[in-house]
Amino acid sequence: MVLQRDDHRGQTVLEFSPDDVGYLRSAGGVAALAEAAGFALTEATRVADVAELRGRFGQRAPALVETVLLRRRATAKLTELPETAQWLFTDEALQQASAAPVARHRARRLVAAASGAAVHDVTCSIGTELAVLSELTDRILGSDLDPVRLAMARHNLPGTAVLRADALAPVSRGTVVLADPGRRSGGRRRFDPADYQPALDRLFEVYSDRDFAVKAAPGIDFDKIEMLGFRGEIEIVSWRASVREACLWSPGLAGPGVRRRATILDRDEQITDADPDDCEVRPAGRWIVDPDGAVVRAGLVRHYGARHGLWQLDPDIAYLSGDELPDGVRGFEVLETLAYSEKRLRQALTAHDCGALEILVRGVRDVQADPDGLRRRLRLRGSVPLSVVITRIGTGPAARAIAFVCRPSR
């Protein structure tokens, strides 16, 4: 039987039973899935399509529909992995699964650091991490407590060793451990590391004698992690200009002297806190650069600026500036600088014949709270697409809001 619940998106999500998975893996289930995949199942056709599928497959229809829809959602995340078009998923497992390039980056680093040791994914879920690891090594093992996800992993990765086990009760020895604690419940995210399943402090304790890598949310509180006794490296990874996740590397797997790392997969670039951070604070030059979100989240703005010959506009604000734009980096060419007010900004943008406007803001609370509202109030009618960077310069009584009217590099 498939149980229904409402997730945080206000949508109905179906929860699979072991019986559902058994059916979907059977010859009859595979044939039924192929037939269900031929239905559009869009908002416009969903009611009629589901009604027809219920007529053909009875109580099995919800599991078929959910699987077809999850497979379609998985395409963007996992298309680079072989055979995933025929995988089985749960909604929460798919939400938490890493995009293939992110998982592949971690797998390469993990296998290289393991130096021939087997890698044990102690929260293997539906098998995404195991699939990527299997591209690099056959010394892998997966385990999970959830019987439904475990059955799906066996379907998704035939021939890979997976077993039912509690991540906090080790069943392997001498392995390098990978863990991806549950960060969702009922479709809602858990933000406190103590609420992860299993909790991070327990994972750190149980595997204190092993090398390990633990996936975490990118917004995880660094101070809380240190309070839990973690002394390794925190890596923040971005892909397609979006911060995707954090990974906690035990001291034995961390880079020498590294506590924080920003990895920008789009540029194949990594910045660490062991890099030089001699970054000046100066007025804006020709270009303003908004560093990649992984750099900002990892607290490595100065290190990034030092590498690329840039400087900060303010020591507490993440925007950088320079007279040369680093290769491959999107920047904003400064056309005009003004003390910020809506009236002054409207006049300046009108003078530049601005139409479409991109707004970047840091340190100016009222604008940061509602940039779309500001865009509407400006009532721009021009033809030139521009960007405006609004930020605070200075602190205390000397603080002032500045607007830079810019032409984006792309």
Side-chain angles (χ1 to χ4, degrees):
M1 179 180 181
V2 179
L3 303 176
Q4 296 185 350
R5 61 172 171 79
D6 289 331
D7 74 351
H8 70 291
R9 296 162 296 183
Q11 300 175 347
T12 298
V13 176
L14 305 182
E15 295 183 347
F16 295 92
S17 70
D19 178 65
D20 294 320
V21 180
Y23 167 70
L24 294 170
R25 296 179 67 189
S26 69
V30 171
L33 280 170
E35 190 171 338
F39 286 74
L41 293 171
T42 64
E43 288 190 14
T45 68
R46 181 80 56 89
V47 173
D49 289 345
V50 170
E52 184 167 347
L53 287 167
R54 282 188 182 278
R56 298 187 193 185
F57 301 107
Q59 65 179 3
R60 298 296 190 185
L64 295 170
V65 170
E66 181 76 350
T67 298
V68 169
L69 293 177
L70 288 172
R71 285 176 172 177
R72 291 175 184 175
R73 278 175 45 202
T75 300
K77 265 193 171 185
L78 305 177
T79 187
E80 296 180 31
L81 297 182
E83 308 300 331
T84 51
Q86 303 304 315
W87 274 28
L88 299 178
F89 303 92
T90 71
D91 180 76
E92 285 188 359
L94 179 56
Q95 286 186 59
Q96 188 157 322
S98 298
V102 179
R104 189 168 282 121
H105 160 74
R106 179 174 41 257
R108 290 190 185 116
R109 182 174 173 185
L110 193 59
V111 171
S115 301
V119 179
H120 182 181
D121 183 348
V122 298
T123 54
C124 71
S125 186
I126 59 172
T128 307
E129 301 289 330
L130 290 173
V132 176
L133 285 164
S134 69
E135 298 174 349
L136 305 171
T137 178
D138 58 1
R139 294 177 58 78
I140 55 175
L141 170 67
S143 58
D144 204 287
L145 262 182
D146 188 321
V148 168
R149 295 189 188 189
L150 207 59
M152 289 182 173
R154 291 188 176 114
H155 168 85
N156 297 341
L157 299 169
T160 299
V162 293
L163 64 149
R164 192 174 187 197
D166 187 338
L168 298 179
V171 293
S172 66
R173 295 179 181 177
T175 58
V176 173
V177 169
L178 172 63
D180 184 9
R183 300 185 295 279
R184 289 175 171 84
S185 179
R188 298 186 180 277
R189 294 183 180 181
R190 299 178 172 120
F191 294 99
D192 189 335
D195 294 334
Y196 283 14
Q197 294 296 323
L200 287 189
D201 56 343
R202 292 286 293 124
L203 275 174
F204 297 156
E205 178 184 349
V206 168
Y207 295 105
S208 60
D209 61 343
R210 306 246 200 124
D211 286 333
F212 61 78
V214 179
K215 283 176 57 178
I220 195 165
D221 188 319
F222 294 174
D223 292 335
K224 282 190 176 181
I225 294 301
E226 290 191 0
M227 289 172 61
L228 295 178
F230 181 71
R231 296 295 180 264
E233 173 195 315
I234 302 174
E235 179 184 28
I236 306 296
V237 180
S238 71
W239 178 60
R240 291 186 174 174
S242 175
V243 178
R244 298 300 176 129
E245 62 190 43
C247 189
L248 312 179
W249 297 90
S250 64
L253 300 181
V258 175
R259 297 298 303 277
R260 284 173 287 125
R261 182 188 304 266
T263 296
I264 308 167
L265 293 180
D266 300 328
R267 292 172 48 81
D268 192 23
E269 181 175 12
Q270 297 189 25
I271 309 287
T272 78
D273 58 349
D275 296 333
D277 66 347
D278 48 339
C279 183
E280 297 181 281
V281 177
R282 292 162 50 187
R286 179 182 174 186
W287 295 94
I288 291 176
V289 172
D290 184 14
D292 185 272
V295 172
V296 177
R297 179 70 191 94
L300 300 174
V301 172
R302 293 192 313 277
H303 305 74
Y304 181 86
R307 173 177 293 186
H308 292 290
L310 305 172
W311 59 85
Q312 289 185 282
L313 301 176
D314 182 277
D316 299 318
I317 298 293
Y319 292 128
L320 294 167
S321 186
D323 293 324
E324 300 286 340
L325 189 63
D327 291 342
V329 172
R330 185 172 187 250
F332 304 89
E333 187 176 15
V334 178
L335 304 177
E336 186 174 347
T337 303
L338 59 143
Y340 171 72
S341 75
E342 286 192 22
K343 180 179 179 181
R344 292 191 195 97
L345 181 59
R346 184 184 301 110
Q347 291 171 342
L349 292 170
T350 300
H352 287 281
D353 192 33
C354 179
L357 180 66
E358 175 185 16
I359 298 174
L360 293 86
V361 56
R362 283 197 177 103
V364 182
R365 291 183 179 178
D366 56 337
V367 182
Q368 204 160 343
D370 188 20
D372 291 333
L374 171 61
R375 187 182 291 106
R376 288 192 298 270
R377 293 192 299 273
L378 290 172
R379 301 189 299 277
L380 300 170
R381 299 291 185 267
S383 59
V384 178
L386 294 176
S387 301
V388 61
V389 178
I390 303 172
T391 189
R392 174 191 54 72
I393 303 294
T395 58
R400 62 196 190 282
I402 300 293
F404 299 94
V405 176
C406 303
R407 180 188 297 114
S409 62
R410 62 176 187 270

